[in-house]
Amino acid sequence: MFRSKKVSQSIKDLDTYMEHLDECTLVFKNGVKHFLDGSSTEFQDNLNTITKLRDTTTELRRNIENEFYSLAMLRDNRVDIMQLLERLDKIADLLFKNLWQYDIEVPFFPAELTVNFLKLIEISSLAVEGSIEAAKIYFRNPSHITEKIHRIYYFEKEVMKQAQGIKRQVFHEMDNMKLSQKFHLRYFTLHIEELAEEAVRVADLLSIMMIKQNI
């Protein structure tokens, strides 16, 4: 079905969309790093870049949805594909909004927390990148998707462990911080957890789509 010439252009457009989404993930990672190390100019560049990428992904998604909706041969898969695009777009939206929250709220991160928080960002990004790659594989070579899905679940579990460690560190070891500052750090930690959780939702949906395809 997905190898038909009639859908080849739509698949190419979908690849372009996911390449931009992957770039959003990289910009988000760099943006948080630049915020934490006080590189304000680079951080502003990251904000500008992720804003442009968000606008582009929104336009691409709408175009892709229109293209797939017009293909009669995809009638049985149309709803699942649209839901997949919505899940991927949710990730793009979270990356965009979460990075801007650093600029808006200017959270205080103590130096002893930086390494662990950057590790949390890295693991969560691996879950997101895995969900993007799994979505690509579904349209190209779905028989190889299982391993990617398992890796997403693994990284999401690691994110939860790392996040719990950070929150425990904040509330049990950082006695000099105000309670309001601790709540603020927990809030930003939850943002990162949410990215991994959304990646798992993509994995769950892809698993269901694979089952339907094999029935």
Side-chain angles (χ1 to χ4, degrees):
M1 176 182 64
F2 295 122
R3 293 175 183 173
S4 168
K5 292 181 180 179
K6 293 184 178 181
V7 299
S8 61
Q9 184 58 49
S10 296
I11 299 299
K12 288 180 181 178
D13 291 342
L14 190 61
D15 281 344
T16 301
Y17 170 79
M18 287 189 279
E19 286 170 6
H20 281 77
L21 181 54
D22 194 48
E23 189 176 351
C24 281
T25 308
L26 295 174
V27 173
F28 175 79
K29 282 198 299 184
N30 286 331
V32 176
K33 180 179 181 297
H34 288 143
F35 176 85
L36 292 176
D37 64 22
S39 302
S40 57
T41 300
E42 290 82 357
F43 177 65
Q44 287 300 321
D45 288 342
N46 294 136
L47 289 175
N48 293 335
T49 301
I50 205 167
T51 299
K52 293 176 182 177
L53 285 169
R54 182 65 186 115
D55 291 341
T56 302
T57 55
T58 298
E59 183 177 355
L60 280 170
R61 180 181 63 85
R62 289 169 180 165
N63 291 340
I64 293 166
E65 285 178 344
N66 289 334
E67 290 169 3
F68 275 110
Y69 192 79
S70 66
L71 294 169
M73 68 180 67
L74 294 180
R75 185 178 295 110
D76 294 338
N77 302 78
R78 190 177 294 158
V79 173
D80 289 333
I81 291 173
M82 296 303 176
Q83 288 179 344
L84 178 61
L85 286 171
E86 288 177 5
R87 292 260 72 94
L88 292 170
D89 196 62
K90 175 66 173 179
I91 290 176
D93 196 49
L94 286 173
L95 291 167
F96 168 73
K97 289 181 178 178
N98 288 353
L99 188 59
W100 270 99
Q101 288 304 113
Y102 290 86
D103 184 66
I104 294 169
E105 299 188 20
V106 195
F108 168 70
F109 281 83
E112 59 267 37
L113 194 66
T114 300
V115 172
N116 286 337
F117 195 76
L118 286 175
K119 183 178 179 181
L120 177 67
I121 295 283
E122 183 63 33
I123 302 172
S124 184
S125 296
L126 287 172
V128 170
E129 290 164 1
S131 69
I132 298 168
E133 184 63 26
K136 286 182 181 179
I137 291 173
Y138 174 77
F139 291 99
R140 294 292 187 184
N141 195 352
S143 62
H144 290 76
I145 201 173
T146 303
E147 180 183 350
K148 290 293 182 182
I149 289 176
H150 286 165
R151 288 173 66 85
I152 296 167
Y153 293 142
Y154 170 79
F155 288 129
E156 190 265 346
K157 290 179 181 178
E158 291 301 305
V159 165
M160 297 305 115
K161 292 177 185 177
Q162 182 71 8
Q164 290 296 327
I166 289 173
K167 285 180 277 190
R168 186 171 295 277
Q169 181 182 1
V170 169
F171 284 95
H172 289 257
E173 300 176 18
M174 298 182 174
D175 297 331
N176 294 328
M177 291 185 66
K178 297 178 181 178
L179 186 59
S180 60
Q181 291 176 314
K182 294 181 179 183
F183 283 144
H184 208 199
L185 290 178
R186 184 188 65 174
Y187 174 70
F188 276 84
T189 302
L190 289 171
H191 281 176
I192 308 305
E193 291 180 84
E194 189 178 8
L195 283 168
E197 290 166 359
E198 198 60 43
V200 164
R201 293 186 182 99
V202 171
D204 289 342
L205 179 57
L206 286 169
S207 296
I208 293 171
M209 292 168 72
M210 284 298 298
I211 292 171
K212 289 181 178 179
Q213 187 172 319
N214 293 328
I215 292 177

